Structure formats: structure tokens, C-alpha cells
Amino acid sequence: MRSSIDIPRRCGAGRGRRIAVTAVPLRIGGGRLMGTVLLIPGSFEGEWVYTEVAERLGSDGHQVFPVTLSGLEADPAARRPAPVNLDDHIADVVSFVTGRGLDDLVVCAHSYGGMVLRGVCAALPERCRGAIYVDAFLPEPGESCWMLLNDPLREGFGALGAADGHTLAPPPGADPRSAPHPVASLLQASRAGAPAPWIRHAYIYAGGWRATPFTETYERLSADPAWETYSVFTNHEIMRSNPEILADLLHKIMVNWD
């Protein structure tokens, strides 16, 4: 299934073609527990990036768990020393889930977080019922995040290298809570194979991001009947620029999966 949502240009999405509007259901509220949602952030960011999205999903009745990956804590004193790799980030989420006894999960991930999500579905298939990639990387075995970057992003990331060689500094203008991102996590290749057949999959594509490396992924998945795909005319940081749109779309997807 392929759907599109149009966001006004005031949201900072940049230029691009207009696309048809698909209505997103109103938030229904009512206090009934809808499901359990885990939110994985992308590079440089922690659980704080999902604050508004989590609040809206919680008001819809979902049990919401945003996570922060090792080395990306907002408090520098709490950060695990580098190097931290992709396996470590997958282990973070696995430990978070098993330590709290979470089950029947829908796991959502943004950007780099898609690398982690792929590994979590492989490590905990019995605990996952759905995976939602929010403008995120979707690796095959043997592919790293660095390999999946396009040339402009790879060049931009390379310019962010810190003096210690272990991290990339947050880009200029980033939120003050942003943290240096561990280089090893971007360079380590995914070892996750095909997900379990019962795990539902959806991909949300930010169609207003000029530098996107995800167009080919979105087009390929749109032709795959095993995937639901959604195109939203917004920038890459949809959880910050349009948290209400993202929350309502996540809610719609999860309600349809119930």
C-alpha cells in the first residue's frame, strides 16, 4: 500500500512536487491501551527528539518507550566512552526491551536508527509485531550506514570528524542536547538477515528533503506488497518539524495492524 501526505511549505521541507493528500485519522484518545511502541532515534540525537511524538501517542492510548543509544546521552558525563559500534546499539535496545519485559512491540526508528531496528528485529523476533522505518536506512547483510550514504551526505559527515577520530561532531545549528556520534557505529556492517514473516513493515519517506539518500529505497519498497509505504512532504527531521503529523501517521499504521 502506498499513501501520500502533503505538508505546507511553511514546515521547512524545501522545494518539491506536490503530492496527493491522504487523510490521517483523528487521534481517538479514550484511555484504552492501544499497543506498545519503542522509538529509536537517529544519529546525534537521544530520546528527547521524540518528546512531542511520544506525548501524542501516549494520549492516543499507546504505551511509548523512547530510547537513547550508548554515547548519545544529552549529558556528556553519562556518555559511554568511544568506540561504540552498531552491535552495541542493538544490544542497548535488546537490553532495554528484555529488562522491562516488553512484548508485542511496534518498533519505530529514524535515520541511522533503521540500522539498529533491523538488528533488533533479528535479535528479538518473538517480541516484535511491527517495524516502522521513519526516513531510515534499511540495510542488507554486509551493508553499513556509511556505505548507504549518498556522496553529498558522506562528504558532509566526513567534515564533522572530531579530533579524537572516534566520533562525528553534531552538525552546525544542531540542538544543544545533540551528542557526537560514534564513527564505529556508522562503519560496522549489519549482520541481520531477513526478518521473521509475522513482523509487519512500513516505511515513511520524507519527500521534501533535497539531500535524501532514501528515494531508491522508498520506490523499491512501494513496489513490494509486503510493505506499506507513506510519502510525507516534509524535511528529514519530521519528529521535530511535524511531530503531530508523524504521531498521527504512526497511530494510523498501528491501528490498522491491530
Side-chain angles (χ1 to χ4, degrees):
M1 182 184 71
R2 180 170 178 168
S3 301
S4 297
I5 299 170
D6 194 22
I7 309 292
R9 293 185 188 274
R10 63 178 174 80
C11 298
R15 296 180 61 187
R17 65 185 180 92
R18 288 293 186 180
I19 47 184
V21 177
T22 297
V24 177
L26 296 175
R27 296 160 56 246
I28 60 175
R32 182 172 70 89
L33 182 61
M34 300 294 296
T36 305
V37 190
L38 194 73
L39 302 174
I40 303 174
S43 52
F44 308 109
E45 297 172 337
E47 61 188 81
W48 53 266
V49 79
Y50 285 114
T51 298
E52 292 184 62
V53 172
E55 289 175 354
R56 293 180 71 92
L57 288 173
S59 69
D60 281 334
H62 300 280
Q63 190 177 24
V64 189
F65 295 92
V67 300
T68 296
L69 303 173
S70 290
L72 298 172
E73 295 85 357
D75 179 5
R79 292 172 191 160
R80 173 177 168 179
V84 177
N85 63 18
L86 176 60
D87 283 346
D88 294 322
H89 285 164
I90 294 169
D92 287 340
V93 180
V94 169
S95 177
F96 186 97
V97 169
T98 57
R100 290 162 178 76
L102 304 180
D103 205 354
D104 199 32
L105 285 169
V106 173
V107 187
C108 308
H110 174 251
S111 197
Y112 161 77
M115 304 291 298
V116 181
L117 173 50
R118 196 69 157 172
V120 170
C121 286
L124 298 173
E126 73 285 354
R127 293 179 183 260
C128 299
R129 71 180 181 94
I132 304 177
Y133 293 77
V134 182
D135 217 37
F137 292 99
L138 179 64
E140 296 294 332
E143 292 181 334
S144 69
C145 185
W146 193 262
M147 293 167 61
L148 296 174
L149 292 171
N150 56 23
D151 289 342
L153 288 179
R154 195 177 295 112
E155 181 178 351
F157 269 45
L160 298 174
D164 62 9
H166 293 304
T167 60
L168 298 182
D175 187 284
R177 294 167 290 185
S178 300
H181 193 92
V183 171
S185 70
L186 303 175
L187 296 179
Q188 185 182 14
S190 175
R191 294 184 282 187
W198 59 80
I199 299 177
R200 306 284 295 271
H201 285 84
Y203 195 94
I204 300 173
Y205 172 67
W209 185 26
R210 293 184 185 181
T212 182
F214 302 127
T215 301
E216 186 278 331
T217 299
Y218 168 68
E219 295 294 343
R220 172 170 53 84
L221 298 179
S222 293
D224 187 338
W227 283 78
E228 297 177 22
T229 58
Y230 300 83
S231 177
V232 184
F233 192 85
T234 186
N235 61 17
H236 181 53
E237 290 284 307
I238 182 174
M239 72 285 285
R240 299 178 66 188
S241 59
N242 289 284
E244 69 288 348
I245 294 293
L246 179 58
D248 287 345
L249 182 52
L250 294 176
H251 173 69
K252 171 189 175 181
I253 292 169
M254 290 185 285
V255 167
N256 288 341
W257 284 354
D258 285 340

